[in-house]
Amino acid sequence: MPVPVTLTGRTVRLEPLTEQHAPALAAAAAADRTSYAFTPVPQGLDATRAYVAAALADQAAGRALPFATVRACDGLVVGATRFAELDYWQGPVVWPPVPRGPLGDPATAVPDAAEVGGTWLAAHAQGTGINTEAKLLMLRHAFETWGVRRISLRADARNLRSRAAIERLGAVCEGVRRAHTRGLDGEVRGTAFYSILAEEWPAVRDIIELRIAAASAPSAPEHPRPLIPA
C-alpha cells in the first residue's frame, strides 16, 4: 500500500492523518457549517474521532491514504482530504473485475489508479487557494511519484460549486450516474464523475500552476487616466 507522506506547498501542507488531528479538525468543522450541505463533515469531537478512526482503518486495509489539510503560514488545521479507491492492475485479468490489492510487497506497492476525494475545508479556508494547491500536490504525487494512469474525482450532481472547482482543474466529465445513491439530505441523488488521465496530466498541471500563479501575483498598479485637453 502507498506509504504515508507529507506533501508541502506554498500555502498548504498535507500531513498524514493521525488521531492527534481530531481536536483541531473538530474545531475547523465547527466554525461555520453552512457550506456542508452536500459534503460529509464530522460534527463534534466524538464524531470527529470516529471519522479519523474510520479513515485510518481504511488506510490500514489499503483502501485509502488520508491527510489533514494544514495552513502553511501558521500550522492551523483547516480540513481533510484523501486518496481513495486505490486500484492495482497487475496480475491476470479476472471476471467480474474487482478492485485488487498489490502484488509483491504491499509496503512498497503503489496504485495504478486512485480517486481524490473526501475533501472538506473550514469556512474561513474556502476560496483562499488552499484547495487548489492541495489538489496540485496530490495530483503531482499521484502522476509523478506513483505513476498512476488515472485519477478520478466525483461530486453530488447538485453540488454545482464542487463540480465547477473540479472542472477548473481541467478534469474531464464522464457523465452523471443518475439516482446513484442517497445524499446527505436523504434525497436520492445523481453523482457526477470526472477523471484525469496520465497523458492529460502535463496540460492539467499547467492549468493549475497558472491559476495559482495568477492568484498569488500582486495586483497591477493603477495608472492615472490621462488628462484630456480642454
Side-chain angles (χ1 to χ4, degrees):
M1 64 189 67
V3 177
V5 62
T6 298
L7 305 176
T8 303
R10 186 182 62 84
T11 63
V12 64
R13 182 171 68 252
L14 300 179
E15 299 178 353
L17 184 67
T18 69
E19 295 172 351
Q20 285 68 43
H21 287 113
L25 284 172
D32 179 353
R33 300 186 60 85
T34 56
S35 63
Y36 300 150
F38 302 108
T39 305
V41 179
Q43 186 169 14
L45 182 56
D46 288 343
T48 304
R49 284 176 172 152
Y51 165 88
V52 171
L56 294 179
D58 283 343
Q59 177 177 305
R63 293 190 294 265
L65 190 63
F67 298 92
T69 305
V70 180
R71 193 164 62 191
C73 65
D74 57 6
L76 183 68
V77 175
V78 295
T81 189
R82 70 186 65 185
F83 288 112
E85 302 293 332
L86 304 179
D87 199 5
Y88 302 83
W89 296 347
Q90 303 92 345
V93 176
V94 296
W95 188 262
V98 294
R100 51 182 116 164
L103 295 178
D105 184 357
T108 59
V110 293
D112 295 284
E115 180 175 291
V116 170
T119 302
W120 62 270
L121 285 174
H124 57 77
Q126 297 173 19
T128 64
I130 284 177
N131 182 56
T132 301
E133 188 173 27
K135 289 294 191 297
L136 175 64
L137 294 173
M138 295 178 75
L139 292 171
R140 180 181 289 152
H141 187 73
F143 285 112
E144 299 179 13
T145 300
W146 288 348
V148 300
R149 297 298 308 167
R150 167 191 171 92
I151 285 290
S152 302
L153 305 99
R154 70 174 76 184
D156 186 317
R158 302 168 298 175
N159 191 347
L160 301 183
R161 180 176 178 177
S162 288
R163 292 182 64 180
I166 293 172
E167 290 166 6
R168 284 196 299 271
L169 295 174
V172 174
C173 182
E174 298 178 331
V176 175
R177 187 176 298 176
R178 300 178 298 167
H180 176 224
T181 187
R182 191 174 297 278
L184 290 179
D185 57 1
E187 296 294 325
V188 176
R189 50 160 268 201
T191 301
F193 288 87
Y194 296 83
S195 65
I196 303 169
L197 304 184
E199 55 267 32
E200 298 165 347
W201 166 238
V204 170
R205 180 185 57 212
D206 290 347
I207 290 171
I208 302 174
E209 289 178 342
L210 284 172
R211 287 188 57 215
I212 292 174
S216 60
S219 300
E222 293 186 5
H223 297 286
R225 182 177 299 176
L227 296 176
I228 301 175

